[in-house]
Coordinates of all heavy atoms in Angstrom, one line a residue:
M1 N 10.7 -21.9 -0.7 CA 10.9 -21.3 -2.0 C 10.0 -20.1 -2.2 O 8.8 -20.2 -1.9 CB 10.7 -22.3 -3.1 CG 12.1 -22.7 -3.7 SD 12.1 -23.4 -5.4 CE 10.5 -23.8 -5.9
K2 N 10.5 -19.1 -2.7 CA 9.7 -17.9 -3.0 C 8.8 -18.1 -4.3 O 9.4 -18.6 -5.3 CB 10.5 -16.6 -3.1 CG 10.0 -15.6 -2.1 CD 10.9 -14.4 -2.0 CE 11.2 -13.6 -3.2 NZ 12.1 -12.4 -2.9
K3 N 7.6 -17.9 -4.2 CA 6.7 -18.0 -5.3 C 6.8 -16.8 -6.2 O 6.6 -15.7 -5.7 CB 5.3 -18.3 -4.9 CG 4.7 -19.5 -5.7 CD 3.3 -19.7 -5.2 CE 2.5 -20.5 -6.1 NZ 1.1 -20.6 -5.7
K4 N 7.1 -16.9 -7.5 CA 7.1 -15.8 -8.3 C 5.7 -15.5 -8.9 O 5.0 -16.4 -9.3 CB 8.1 -16.0 -9.5 CG 9.3 -15.2 -9.4 CD 10.0 -15.2 -10.7 CE 11.2 -14.3 -10.8 NZ 12.0 -14.6 -12.0
K5 N 5.4 -14.2 -8.9 CA 4.1 -13.8 -9.4 C 4.2 -13.8 -10.9 O 5.1 -13.2 -11.5 CB 3.7 -12.5 -8.9 CG 2.3 -12.5 -8.3 CD 2.0 -11.1 -7.8 CE 0.5 -10.9 -7.9 NZ 0.1 -9.5 -7.6
I6 N 3.3 -14.5 -11.6 CA 3.3 -14.5 -13.1 C 2.5 -13.2 -13.5 O 1.4 -13.0 -13.2 CB 2.6 -15.7 -13.6 CG1 3.4 -17.0 -13.1 CG2 2.6 -15.7 -15.1 CD1 2.6 -18.3 -13.3
P7 N 3.2 -12.4 -14.4 CA 2.5 -11.2 -14.9 C 1.4 -11.6 -15.8 O 1.6 -12.3 -16.8 CB 3.6 -10.4 -15.5 CG 4.7 -11.3 -15.8 CD 4.6 -12.5 -14.9
L8 N 0.2 -11.2 -15.6 CA -0.9 -11.5 -16.4 C -1.3 -10.3 -17.3 O -1.1 -9.1 -16.9 CB -2.2 -11.8 -15.6 CG -2.1 -13.1 -14.8 CD1 -3.4 -13.3 -14.0 CD2 -1.9 -14.3 -15.6
R9 N -1.7 -10.6 -18.5 CA -2.2 -9.5 -19.4 C -3.5 -10.0 -20.0 O -3.8 -11.1 -20.1 CB -1.2 -9.3 -20.5 CG 0.1 -8.7 -20.1 CD 0.0 -7.3 -19.6 NE 1.2 -6.7 -19.2 CZ 1.8 -6.8 -18.0 NH1 1.2 -7.5 -17.1 NH2 2.9 -6.2 -17.7
K10 N -4.2 -9.0 -20.4 CA -5.6 -9.2 -20.9 C -5.6 -9.2 -22.5 O -5.1 -8.3 -23.1 CB -6.6 -8.2 -20.4 CG -8.0 -8.6 -20.5 CD -8.9 -7.6 -19.8 CE -9.0 -6.4 -20.6 NZ -10.0 -5.5 -20.0
C11 N -6.2 -10.2 -23.1 CA -6.4 -10.2 -24.5 C -7.4 -9.2 -24.9 O -8.5 -9.1 -24.3 CB -6.8 -11.6 -25.0 SG -7.4 -11.7 -26.7
V12 N -7.1 -8.4 -25.9 CA -8.0 -7.3 -26.3 C -9.3 -7.8 -26.9 O -10.3 -7.2 -27.0 CB -7.4 -6.3 -27.2 CG1 -6.4 -5.4 -26.5 CG2 -6.9 -6.9 -28.5
A13 N -9.2 -9.1 -27.4 CA -10.4 -9.6 -28.1 C -11.3 -10.4 -27.2 O -12.5 -10.1 -27.2 CB -9.9 -10.6 -29.2
C14 N -10.8 -11.3 -26.4 CA -11.7 -12.1 -25.6 C -11.7 -11.7 -24.1 O -12.5 -12.3 -23.3 CB -11.4 -13.6 -25.7 SG -9.8 -14.0 -25.1
N15 N -10.9 -10.7 -23.8 CA -10.8 -10.2 -22.4 C -10.3 -11.2 -21.4 O -10.5 -11.0 -20.2 CB -12.2 -9.6 -22.0 CG -12.5 -8.3 -22.7 OD1 -11.5 -7.5 -23.0 ND2 -13.7 -8.1 -23.0
E16 N -9.7 -12.3 -21.8 CA -9.3 -13.3 -20.9 C -7.9 -12.9 -20.4 O -7.0 -12.4 -21.2 CB -9.2 -14.6 -21.6 CG -9.4 -15.8 -20.7 CD -9.5 -17.1 -21.4 OE1 -10.4 -17.3 -22.2 OE2 -8.6 -17.9 -21.2
H17 N -7.6 -13.1 -19.1 CA -6.3 -12.9 -18.6 C -5.4 -14.1 -18.7 O -5.8 -15.2 -18.3 CB -6.4 -12.5 -17.1 CG -6.9 -11.1 -16.9 ND1 -8.2 -10.8 -16.9 CD2 -6.2 -9.9 -16.8 CE1 -8.4 -9.5 -16.7 NE2 -7.2 -8.9 -16.7
R18 N -4.3 -13.9 -19.3 CA -3.3 -15.0 -19.4 C -1.9 -14.5 -19.1 O -1.7 -13.4 -19.2 CB -3.4 -15.6 -20.9 CG -4.8 -16.1 -21.3 CD -4.8 -16.4 -22.7 NE -4.0 -17.6 -23.1 CZ -4.3 -18.3 -24.1 NH1 -5.4 -18.0 -24.9 NH2 -3.6 -19.4 -24.4
P19 N -1.0 -15.5 -18.8 CA 0.4 -15.1 -18.6 C 0.9 -14.3 -19.8 O 0.6 -14.7 -20.9 CB 1.1 -16.4 -18.4 CG 0.0 -17.4 -17.9 CD -1.2 -16.9 -18.6
K20 N 1.6 -13.3 -19.5 CA 2.1 -12.4 -20.5 C 2.9 -13.2 -21.6 O 2.8 -12.9 -22.8 CB 3.1 -11.4 -19.8 CG 3.4 -10.2 -20.5 CD 4.3 -9.4 -19.6 CE 5.2 -8.4 -20.4 NZ 6.2 -7.8 -19.6
K21 N 3.6 -14.2 -21.2 CA 4.4 -15.0 -22.1 C 3.6 -15.7 -23.2 O 4.0 -16.0 -24.2 CB 5.3 -16.0 -21.4 CG 6.7 -15.5 -21.0 CD 7.6 -16.6 -20.8 CE 7.2 -17.4 -19.5 NZ 8.1 -18.3 -18.9
E22 N 2.3 -16.1 -22.8 CA 1.5 -16.8 -23.7 C 0.8 -15.9 -24.7 O 0.4 -16.4 -25.8 CB 0.4 -17.5 -22.9 CG 0.8 -18.8 -22.2 CD -0.3 -19.4 -21.4 OE1 -1.5 -19.1 -21.7 OE2 0.0 -20.2 -20.5
L23 N 0.7 -14.7 -24.4 CA 0.0 -13.8 -25.3 C 1.0 -13.1 -26.3 O 2.2 -13.2 -26.1 CB -0.6 -12.7 -24.5 CG -1.8 -13.1 -23.6 CD1 -2.2 -12.0 -22.7 CD2 -3.0 -13.5 -24.4
I24 N 0.4 -12.6 -27.4 CA 1.2 -11.9 -28.4 C 1.1 -10.4 -28.2 O -0.1 -10.0 -28.0 CB 0.8 -12.3 -29.8 CG1 0.7 -13.8 -30.0 CG2 1.6 -11.6 -30.8 CD1 1.9 -14.5 -30.4
R25 N 2.2 -9.7 -28.2 CA 2.1 -8.3 -28.0 C 2.1 -7.6 -29.3 O 3.0 -7.9 -30.2 CB 3.3 -7.8 -27.1 CG 3.3 -6.4 -26.8 CD 4.3 -6.1 -25.7 NE 4.3 -4.7 -25.4 CZ 5.4 -3.9 -25.7 NH1 6.4 -4.4 -26.2 NH2 5.4 -2.7 -25.4
I26 N 1.2 -6.7 -29.5 CA 1.1 -5.9 -30.7 C 1.5 -4.5 -30.3 O 1.0 -4.0 -29.3 CB -0.3 -5.9 -31.4 CG1 -0.6 -7.3 -31.8 CG2 -0.3 -5.0 -32.6 CD1 -2.1 -7.5 -32.2
V27 N 2.4 -3.9 -31.0 CA 3.0 -2.7 -30.5 C 2.9 -1.6 -31.6 O 2.9 -1.8 -32.8 CB 4.5 -2.9 -30.2 CG1 5.4 -1.7 -30.5 CG2 4.6 -3.3 -28.7
K28 N 2.6 -0.4 -31.1 CA 2.7 0.8 -31.9 C 4.0 1.5 -31.6 O 4.2 2.0 -30.4 CB 1.6 1.7 -31.7 CG 1.6 3.0 -32.5 CD 0.4 3.9 -32.3 CE 0.6 4.7 -31.0 NZ -0.5 5.7 -30.9
T29 N 5.0 1.6 -32.5 CA 6.2 2.2 -32.2 C 6.1 3.7 -32.2 O 5.0 4.2 -32.7 CB 7.3 1.8 -33.2 OG1 6.9 2.4 -34.5 CG2 7.5 0.3 -33.3
K30 N 7.1 4.4 -31.8 CA 6.9 5.9 -31.8 C 6.9 6.5 -33.2 O 6.5 7.6 -33.4 CB 7.9 6.5 -30.8 CG 9.4 6.4 -31.3 CD 10.2 7.3 -30.3 CE 11.7 7.4 -30.7 NZ 12.4 6.2 -30.9
E31 N 7.3 5.7 -34.1 CA 7.1 6.1 -35.5 C 5.7 5.9 -36.1 O 5.4 6.2 -37.2 CB 8.1 5.4 -36.5 CG 9.6 5.8 -36.3 CD 10.3 5.1 -35.1 OE1 9.7 4.0 -34.7 OE2 11.3 5.6 -34.5
G32 N 4.9 5.3 -35.2 CA 3.5 5.0 -35.6 C 3.3 3.7 -36.4 O 2.4 3.6 -37.1
I33 N 4.3 2.9 -36.3 CA 4.2 1.6 -37.1 C 3.7 0.5 -36.1 O 4.1 0.4 -35.0 CB 5.6 1.1 -37.6 CG1 6.2 2.2 -38.6 CG2 5.6 -0.3 -38.2 CD1 7.6 2.1 -38.8
V34 N 2.7 -0.2 -36.7 CA 2.1 -1.3 -35.8 C 2.7 -2.6 -36.3 O 2.7 -3.0 -37.4 CB 0.6 -1.3 -36.0 CG1 -0.1 -2.5 -35.3 CG2 0.0 0.0 -35.6
E35 N 3.2 -3.3 -35.3 CA 3.7 -4.7 -35.6 C 3.6 -5.6 -34.4 O 3.5 -5.2 -33.3 CB 5.2 -4.6 -36.1 CG 6.1 -3.9 -35.2 CD 7.5 -3.7 -35.8 OE1 7.9 -4.6 -36.6 OE2 8.1 -2.7 -35.6
M36 N 3.8 -6.9 -34.7 CA 3.8 -7.8 -33.6 C 5.2 -7.9 -33.0 O 6.2 -8.0 -33.7 CB 3.4 -9.2 -34.2 CG 2.0 -9.4 -34.0 SD 1.4 -11.0 -34.6 CE -0.4 -10.6 -34.6
D37 N 5.2 -7.8 -31.7 CA 6.5 -7.8 -31.0 C 6.7 -9.2 -30.4 O 6.3 -9.5 -29.3 CB 6.4 -6.7 -29.9 CG 7.6 -6.8 -29.0 OD1 8.6 -7.3 -29.4 OD2 7.5 -6.3 -27.8
L38 N 7.4 -10.0 -31.2 CA 7.6 -11.4 -30.8 C 8.8 -11.5 -29.8 O 8.9 -12.5 -29.1 CB 7.8 -12.3 -32.0 CG 6.6 -12.3 -33.0 CD1 7.0 -13.1 -34.2 CD2 5.4 -12.8 -32.3
T39 N 9.6 -10.5 -29.7 CA 10.7 -10.5 -28.7 C 10.3 -9.9 -27.4 O 11.0 -10.1 -26.4 CB 11.9 -9.7 -29.3 OG1 11.5 -8.4 -29.5 CG2 12.4 -10.3 -30.6
G40 N 9.2 -9.2 -27.4 CA 8.8 -8.5 -26.1 C 9.7 -7.3 -25.8 O 9.7 -6.8 -24.7
R41 N 10.5 -6.9 -26.7 CA 11.5 -5.8 -26.4 C 11.2 -4.5 -27.1 O 11.9 -3.5 -26.9 CB 12.9 -6.3 -26.7 CG 13.3 -7.4 -25.8 CD 14.8 -7.5 -25.9 NE 15.2 -8.8 -25.3 CZ 15.4 -9.9 -26.0 NH1 15.2 -9.9 -27.3 NH2 15.7 -11.0 -25.3
L42 N 10.2 -4.5 -27.9 CA 10.0 -3.2 -28.6 C 9.3 -2.2 -27.7 O 8.4 -2.6 -26.9 CB 9.0 -3.5 -29.8 CG 9.6 -4.2 -31.0 CD1 8.6 -4.4 -32.1 CD2 10.8 -3.4 -31.6
N43 N 9.7 -1.0 -27.9 CA 9.1 0.1 -27.1 C 7.9 0.6 -27.8 O 7.8 0.6 -29.0 CB 10.1 1.2 -26.9 CG 11.2 0.9 -25.9 OD1 10.9 0.2 -24.9 ND2 12.4 1.2 -26.2
G44 N 7.0 1.1 -27.0 CA 5.8 1.7 -27.5 C 4.6 1.2 -26.8 O 4.6 0.4 -25.9
R45 N 3.4 1.7 -27.3 CA 2.2 1.3 -26.7 C 1.8 -0.1 -27.2 O 1.9 -0.4 -28.4 CB 1.1 2.4 -27.2 CG -0.1 2.4 -26.3 CD -1.1 3.4 -26.9 NE -2.3 3.2 -26.2 CZ -2.6 3.7 -25.1 NH1 -1.8 4.5 -24.5 NH2 -3.8 3.4 -24.5
G46 N 1.4 -0.9 -26.3 CA 1.1 -2.3 -26.7 C -0.3 -2.8 -26.4 O -1.0 -2.2 -25.5
A47 N -0.7 -3.7 -27.1 CA -2.0 -4.4 -26.9 C -1.7 -5.9 -26.9 O -0.8 -6.4 -27.7 CB -3.0 -4.1 -27.9
Y48 N -2.4 -6.7 -26.1 CA -2.1 -8.1 -26.1 C -3.2 -8.9 -26.7 O -4.4 -8.5 -26.6 CB -1.9 -8.6 -24.6 CG -0.6 -8.1 -24.1 CD1 -0.5 -6.8 -23.5 CD2 0.6 -8.8 -24.2 CE1 0.7 -6.3 -23.0 CE2 1.8 -8.4 -23.7 CZ 1.9 -7.1 -23.1 OH 3.0 -6.6 -22.6
I49 N -2.8 -10.0 -27.3 CA -3.8 -10.9 -27.9 C -3.4 -12.3 -27.8 O -2.2 -12.7 -27.7 CB -4.0 -10.5 -29.4 CG1 -5.2 -11.1 -30.0 CG2 -2.8 -10.8 -30.3 CD1 -5.8 -10.4 -31.2
C50 N -4.4 -13.2 -27.7 CA -4.1 -14.7 -27.6 C -3.4 -15.1 -28.9 O -3.7 -14.6 -30.0 CB -5.4 -15.5 -27.5 SG -6.4 -15.1 -26.1
P51 N -2.6 -16.2 -28.9 CA -2.1 -16.7 -30.1 C -3.1 -17.6 -30.8 O -3.1 -18.8 -30.8 CB -0.9 -17.6 -29.6 CG -1.2 -17.9 -28.2 CD -2.1 -16.8 -27.7
D52 N -4.1 -16.9 -31.3 CA -5.3 -17.5 -31.8 C -5.9 -16.7 -32.9 O -6.2 -15.5 -32.7 CB -6.3 -17.6 -30.6 CG -7.5 -18.5 -31.0 OD1 -8.0 -18.4 -32.2 OD2 -8.0 -19.2 -30.1
M53 N -6.1 -17.3 -34.1 CA -6.5 -16.5 -35.3 C -7.9 -15.9 -35.0 O -8.2 -14.8 -35.5 CB -6.6 -17.4 -36.5 CG -5.2 -17.8 -37.1 SD -4.0 -16.5 -37.2 CE -4.6 -15.6 -38.6
E54 N -8.7 -16.7 -34.2 CA -10.1 -16.2 -33.9 C -10.0 -14.9 -33.1 O -10.8 -14.0 -33.4 CB -10.8 -17.3 -33.2 CG -12.3 -17.4 -33.5 CD -12.9 -18.5 -32.8 OE1 -12.6 -19.7 -33.2 OE2 -13.7 -18.3 -32.0
C55 N -9.1 -14.8 -32.2 CA -9.0 -13.6 -31.4 C -8.6 -12.5 -32.3 O -9.0 -11.3 -32.1 CB -8.1 -13.8 -30.2 SG -8.9 -14.5 -28.8
L56 N -7.6 -12.7 -33.1 CA -7.1 -11.7 -34.0 C -8.2 -11.2 -34.9 O -8.4 -10.0 -35.0 CB -5.9 -12.2 -34.9 CG -5.3 -11.1 -35.8 CD1 -4.7 -9.9 -35.0 CD2 -4.3 -11.7 -36.7
E57 N -9.0 -12.1 -35.5 CA -10.1 -11.7 -36.4 C -11.1 -10.8 -35.6 O -11.6 -9.8 -36.1 CB -10.8 -12.9 -37.0 CG -9.9 -13.6 -38.1 CD -9.4 -12.7 -39.2 OE1 -10.1 -11.7 -39.6 OE2 -8.2 -12.9 -39.6
N58 N -11.5 -11.3 -34.4 CA -12.4 -10.5 -33.6 C -11.9 -9.2 -33.3 O -12.6 -8.2 -33.3 CB -12.7 -11.3 -32.3 CG -13.6 -12.5 -32.5 OD1 -14.3 -12.5 -33.5 ND2 -13.6 -13.4 -31.6
A59 N -10.6 -9.1 -32.9 CA -10.0 -7.8 -32.6 C -10.0 -6.9 -33.8 O -10.1 -5.7 -33.7 CB -8.6 -8.0 -32.0
I60 N -9.8 -7.5 -35.0 CA -9.8 -6.6 -36.2 C -11.2 -6.1 -36.5 O -11.4 -4.9 -36.7 CB -9.2 -7.5 -37.4 CG1 -7.7 -7.7 -37.2 CG2 -9.5 -6.7 -38.7 CD1 -7.1 -8.7 -38.3
K61 N -12.1 -7.0 -36.4 CA -13.5 -6.7 -36.7 C -14.1 -5.6 -35.8 O -14.7 -4.7 -36.2 CB -14.4 -7.9 -36.7 CG -15.0 -8.3 -38.0 CD -16.0 -9.5 -37.9 CE -15.2 -10.8 -37.9 NZ -16.0 -11.9 -37.4
S62 N -13.7 -5.8 -34.5 CA -14.3 -4.8 -33.5 C -13.4 -3.6 -33.4 O -13.7 -2.8 -32.5 CB -14.4 -5.6 -32.2 OG -13.2 -6.1 -31.8
K63 N -12.3 -3.6 -34.2 CA -11.4 -2.4 -34.1 C -10.7 -2.2 -32.7 O -10.4 -1.2 -32.3 CB -12.1 -1.1 -34.5 CG -12.5 -1.1 -36.0 CD -12.9 0.3 -36.3 CE -12.8 0.6 -37.8 NZ -13.9 -0.1 -38.5
K64 N -10.6 -3.4 -32.0 CA -10.1 -3.2 -30.6 C -8.6 -2.9 -30.6 O -8.1 -2.3 -29.7 CB -10.4 -4.5 -29.8 CG -11.8 -4.5 -29.3 CD -12.1 -5.7 -28.5 CE -13.5 -5.7 -27.9 NZ -14.0 -7.1 -27.7
I65 N -7.9 -3.5 -31.5 CA -6.4 -3.2 -31.6 C -6.2 -1.7 -31.9 O -5.5 -1.0 -31.2 CB -5.7 -4.0 -32.6 CG1 -6.0 -5.5 -32.4 CG2 -4.2 -3.7 -32.7 CD1 -5.5 -6.4 -33.5
S66 N -7.0 -1.3 -32.9 CA -6.9 0.1 -33.3 C -7.2 1.1 -32.1 O -6.6 2.1 -31.9 CB -7.8 0.3 -34.5 OG -8.2 1.6 -34.7
R67 N -8.3 0.7 -31.4 CA -8.7 1.5 -30.2 C -7.6 1.5 -29.1 O -7.3 2.5 -28.6 CB -10.0 1.0 -29.7 CG -10.9 2.2 -29.4 CD -12.3 1.8 -29.0 NE -13.0 1.1 -30.0 CZ -13.9 0.1 -29.8 NH1 -14.2 -0.3 -28.6 NH2 -14.5 -0.5 -30.8
S68 N -7.1 0.3 -28.8 CA -6.1 0.4 -27.7 C -4.8 1.0 -28.1 O -4.1 1.5 -27.2 CB -6.0 -1.0 -27.0 OG -5.8 -2.0 -27.9
L69 N -4.5 0.9 -29.4 CA -3.2 1.6 -29.8 C -3.5 3.0 -30.2 O -2.5 3.8 -30.5 CB -2.6 0.8 -31.0 CG -2.2 -0.6 -30.6 CD1 -1.5 -1.3 -31.8 CD2 -1.2 -0.7 -29.4
E70 N -4.7 3.4 -30.2 CA -5.1 4.8 -30.5 C -4.6 5.3 -31.9 O -4.0 6.3 -32.0 CB -4.6 5.7 -29.4 CG -5.3 5.5 -28.1 CD -4.7 6.3 -26.9 OE1 -3.6 6.7 -27.1 OE2 -5.4 6.5 -25.9
L71 N -4.8 4.5 -32.9 CA -4.6 4.9 -34.3 C -5.4 4.1 -35.2 O -5.9 3.0 -34.9 CB -3.1 5.0 -34.6 CG -2.5 3.7 -35.2 CD1 -1.1 4.0 -35.8 CD2 -2.3 2.6 -34.2
D72 N -5.6 4.6 -36.4 CA -6.3 3.8 -37.5 C -5.3 2.8 -38.1 O -4.1 3.2 -38.3 CB -6.8 4.7 -38.6 CG -8.0 5.5 -38.1 OD1 -8.8 5.0 -37.2 OD2 -8.2 6.7 -38.5
I73 N -5.8 1.6 -38.3 CA -4.9 0.6 -38.8 C -5.4 0.2 -40.2 O -6.5 -0.1 -40.5 CB -4.8 -0.6 -37.9 CG1 -4.3 -0.2 -36.5 CG2 -4.0 -1.7 -38.5 CD1 -4.3 -1.3 -35.5
E74 N -4.4 0.3 -41.2 CA -4.7 -0.1 -42.6 C -4.9 -1.6 -42.8 O -4.3 -2.3 -42.0 CB -3.6 0.4 -43.5 CG -3.2 1.9 -43.4 CD -4.2 2.8 -44.1 OE1 -4.9 2.3 -45.0 OE2 -4.3 4.0 -43.7
N75 N -5.6 -1.9 -43.8 CA -5.9 -3.3 -44.1 C -4.6 -4.1 -44.3 O -4.5 -5.3 -43.9 CB -6.8 -3.5 -45.3 CG -8.2 -3.4 -44.9 OD1 -8.6 -3.8 -43.8 ND2 -9.0 -2.9 -45.8
D76 N -3.6 -3.5 -45.0 CA -2.4 -4.3 -45.2 C -1.6 -4.5 -44.0 O -0.8 -5.5 -43.9 CB -1.5 -3.6 -46.4 CG -1.2 -2.2 -46.1 OD1 -1.9 -1.5 -45.3 OD2 -0.2 -1.7 -46.6
V77 N -1.8 -3.6 -43.0 CA -1.1 -3.9 -41.7 C -1.8 -5.0 -41.0 O -1.1 -5.9 -40.5 CB -1.2 -2.6 -40.8 CG1 -0.7 -2.9 -39.4 CG2 -0.4 -1.4 -41.4
Y78 N -3.1 -5.1 -41.1 CA -3.8 -6.2 -40.5 C -3.4 -7.5 -41.2 O -3.2 -8.6 -40.6 CB -5.3 -6.1 -40.7 CG -6.0 -5.1 -39.7 CD1 -6.9 -4.2 -40.1 CD2 -5.6 -5.2 -38.3 CE1 -7.5 -3.4 -39.1 CE2 -6.2 -4.4 -37.4 CZ -7.2 -3.5 -37.8 OH -7.8 -2.7 -36.9
E79 N -3.2 -7.4 -42.5 CA -2.8 -8.6 -43.3 C -1.4 -9.1 -42.8 O -1.2 -10.3 -42.6 CB -2.8 -8.2 -44.8 CG -2.9 -9.4 -45.7 CD -4.0 -10.4 -45.3 OE1 -5.2 -10.1 -45.2 OE2 -3.6 -11.6 -45.1
K80 N -0.6 -8.2 -42.5 CA 0.7 -8.5 -42.0 C 0.6 -9.2 -40.6 O 1.3 -10.1 -40.3 CB 1.6 -7.3 -41.9 CG 3.1 -7.6 -42.4 CD 4.0 -6.5 -42.1 CE 4.5 -5.8 -43.4 NZ 5.1 -4.5 -43.2
L81 N -0.3 -8.6 -39.8 CA -0.4 -9.2 -38.4 C -1.0 -10.6 -38.5 O -0.5 -11.5 -37.8 CB -1.4 -8.3 -37.6 CG -1.0 -6.9 -37.2 CD1 -2.1 -6.2 -36.5 CD2 0.3 -6.9 -36.4
R82 N -1.9 -10.8 -39.5 CA -2.4 -12.2 -39.7 C -1.3 -13.2 -40.1 O -1.2 -14.3 -39.5 CB -3.4 -12.2 -40.8 CG -4.8 -11.7 -40.5 CD -5.8 -12.0 -41.6 NE -7.1 -11.4 -41.3 CZ -7.5 -10.2 -41.9 NH1 -6.7 -9.6 -42.7 NH2 -8.7 -9.7 -41.5
E83 N -0.5 -12.7 -41.0 CA 0.7 -13.6 -41.5 C 1.6 -13.9 -40.3 O 2.0 -15.1 -40.1 CB 1.5 -12.8 -42.5 CG 1.2 -13.3 -44.0 CD 1.9 -12.4 -44.9 OE1 3.1 -12.2 -44.8 OE2 1.2 -11.8 -45.8
T84 N 2.0 -12.9 -39.6 CA 2.9 -13.1 -38.5 C 2.3 -14.0 -37.4 O 3.0 -14.9 -36.9 CB 3.3 -11.7 -37.8 OG1 3.6 -10.8 -38.9 CG2 4.5 -11.8 -36.9
L85 N 1.1 -13.8 -37.1 CA 0.4 -14.6 -36.1 C 0.4 -16.1 -36.5 O 0.6 -17.0 -35.8 CB -1.0 -14.1 -35.7 CG -1.6 -14.8 -34.6 CD1 -0.8 -14.7 -33.3 CD2 -3.0 -14.3 -34.3
R86 N 0.0 -16.3 -37.8 CA -0.1 -17.6 -38.3 C 1.3 -18.3 -38.2 O 1.4 -19.5 -37.8 CB -0.5 -17.6 -39.8 CG -1.5 -18.6 -40.2 CD -2.0 -18.4 -41.6 NE -3.1 -17.4 -41.6 CZ -3.3 -16.5 -42.6 NH1 -2.4 -16.4 -43.5 NH2 -4.3 -15.7 -42.6
E87 N 2.4 -17.6 -38.6 CA 3.7 -18.2 -38.4 C 4.0 -18.5 -37.0 O 4.6 -19.5 -36.7 CB 4.8 -17.2 -39.0 CG 4.9 -17.3 -40.5 CD 5.7 -16.1 -41.0 OE1 6.5 -15.5 -40.2 OE2 5.5 -15.7 -42.2
E88 N 3.7 -17.6 -36.1 CA 4.0 -17.7 -34.7 C 3.2 -18.9 -34.1 O 3.8 -19.7 -33.3 CB 3.6 -16.4 -34.0 CG 3.9 -16.5 -32.5 CD 5.4 -16.6 -32.1 OE1 6.3 -16.5 -33.0 OE2 5.6 -17.0 -30.9
I89 N 2.0 -19.1 -34.5 CA 1.2 -20.2 -34.0 C 1.8 -21.5 -34.5 O 2.0 -22.5 -33.7 CB -0.3 -20.1 -34.5 CG1 -1.0 -19.0 -33.8 CG2 -1.0 -21.4 -34.2 CD1 -2.4 -18.6 -34.4
D90 N 2.2 -21.6 -35.7 CA 2.9 -22.7 -36.3 C 4.2 -23.1 -35.5 O 4.4 -24.2 -35.1 CB 3.4 -22.5 -37.7 CG 2.3 -22.9 -38.7 OD1 1.3 -23.4 -38.3 OD2 2.5 -22.7 -39.9
K91 N 5.0 -22.0 -35.2 CA 6.2 -22.2 -34.5 C 5.9 -22.8 -33.1 O 6.6 -23.7 -32.6 CB 6.9 -20.8 -34.4 CG 8.4 -20.9 -34.8 CD 9.1 -19.6 -34.5 CE 8.7 -18.5 -35.5 NZ 9.1 -17.1 -35.0
R92 N 5.0 -22.2 -32.4 CA 4.6 -22.6 -31.1 C 4.2 -24.1 -31.1 O 4.5 -24.9 -30.2 CB 3.6 -21.7 -30.4 CG 4.2 -20.4 -30.1 CD 3.2 -19.5 -29.4 NE 3.7 -18.2 -29.1 CZ 3.4 -17.4 -28.2 NH1 2.4 -17.8 -27.4 NH2 3.9 -16.2 -28.0
E93 N 3.3 -24.4 -32.0 CA 2.8 -25.8 -32.1 C 4.0 -26.8 -32.3 O 4.0 -27.8 -31.7 CB 1.8 -25.9 -33.2 CG 0.4 -25.5 -32.8 CD -0.6 -25.5 -33.9 OE1 -0.2 -25.8 -35.0 OE2 -1.7 -25.2 -33.6
N94 N 4.9 -26.4 -33.1 CA 6.0 -27.3 -33.4 C 6.9 -27.5 -32.2 O 7.4 -28.6 -32.0 CB 6.9 -26.8 -34.5 CG 6.2 -27.0 -35.9 OD1 5.4 -27.9 -36.0 ND2 6.5 -26.1 -36.8
T95 N 7.0 -26.5 -31.3 CA 7.9 -26.7 -30.2 C 7.2 -27.6 -29.1 O 7.9 -28.1 -28.2 CB 8.3 -25.3 -29.5 OG1 7.1 -24.6 -29.3 CG2 9.2 -24.5 -30.3
F96 N 5.9 -27.7 -29.2 CA 5.2 -28.5 -28.2 C 5.0 -30.0 -28.7 O 4.4 -30.8 -28.0 CB 3.9 -27.9 -27.8 CG 4.0 -26.6 -27.0 CD1 3.4 -25.5 -27.4 CD2 4.8 -26.6 -25.9 CE1 3.6 -24.3 -26.7 CE2 5.0 -25.4 -25.2 CZ 4.4 -24.3 -25.6
K97 N 5.4 -30.2 -29.9 CA 5.2 -31.6 -30.5 C 6.1 -32.6 -29.8 O 7.3 -32.3 -29.5 CB 5.4 -31.5 -32.0 CG 4.0 -31.7 -32.6 CD 4.2 -31.6 -34.1 CE 2.9 -30.9 -34.7 NZ 3.1 -30.4 -36.0
Ligands
ZN1 ZN1 -8.2 -13.9 -26.8

């Protein structure tokens, strides 16, 4: 059997490498909108983060998302990212129960 290579991505907050599927992609669309790409299909510049509120808070505090997406991010956008991540974490936890 051929072994498939799992694509790894690095979390912008804790710098840990994890399989792409486990991480959450945050995307800046060409319209300059920052959102979480839960389908993995949005085009644009992306940053990856662990499905972990702590990583998100660290990334917000250290402006790492803003730096890797190369734009300033407003507080209400961060608030939306928090909400989306919280929902996503819930969803993932439920599927593993
Ligand atoms: Zn992380």
Side-chain angles (χ1 to χ4, degrees):
M1 256 203 345
K2 236 169 61 180
K3 225 177 161 186
K4 249 196 177 168
K5 232 181 150 185
I6 302 165
L8 294 178
R9 291 293 180 275
K10 196 173 77 173
C11 167
V12 290
C14 64
N15 289 325
E16 211 175 294
H17 285 88
R18 299 171 73 152
K20 199 176 153 186
K21 268 200 296 195
E22 282 180 20
L23 294 168
I24 308 273
R25 185 166 175 251
I26 299 168
V27 146
K28 177 178 79 172
T29 66
K30 64 175 189 301
E31 290 81 22
I33 296 162
V34 174
E35 57 186 320
M36 268 180 194
D37 174 22
L38 300 175
T39 61
R41 289 197 195 94
L42 289 178
N43 286 318
R45 201 184 166 81
Y48 289 86
I49 194 159
C50 302
D52 188 322
M53 292 311 289
E54 217 174 292
C55 276
L56 181 63
E57 291 306 327
N58 285 339
I60 291 173
K61 243 184 279 164
S62 56
K63 294 193 161 70
K64 277 179 179 157
I65 302 171
S66 159
R67 222 175 297 150
S68 46
L69 298 181
E70 296 175 337
L71 88 167
D72 289 327
I73 299 175
E74 307 282 338
N75 275 331
D76 55 337
V77 174
Y78 280 138
E79 202 43 58
K80 220 190 247 169
L81 293 180
R82 283 191 185 101
E83 255 171 58
T84 314
L85 186 61
R86 223 173 275 140
E87 279 168 23
E88 179 63 15
I89 291 171
D90 271 358
K91 231 187 285 165
R92 290 185 181 204
E93 274 173 3
N94 287 331
T95 52
F96 290 126
K97 249 175 216 164

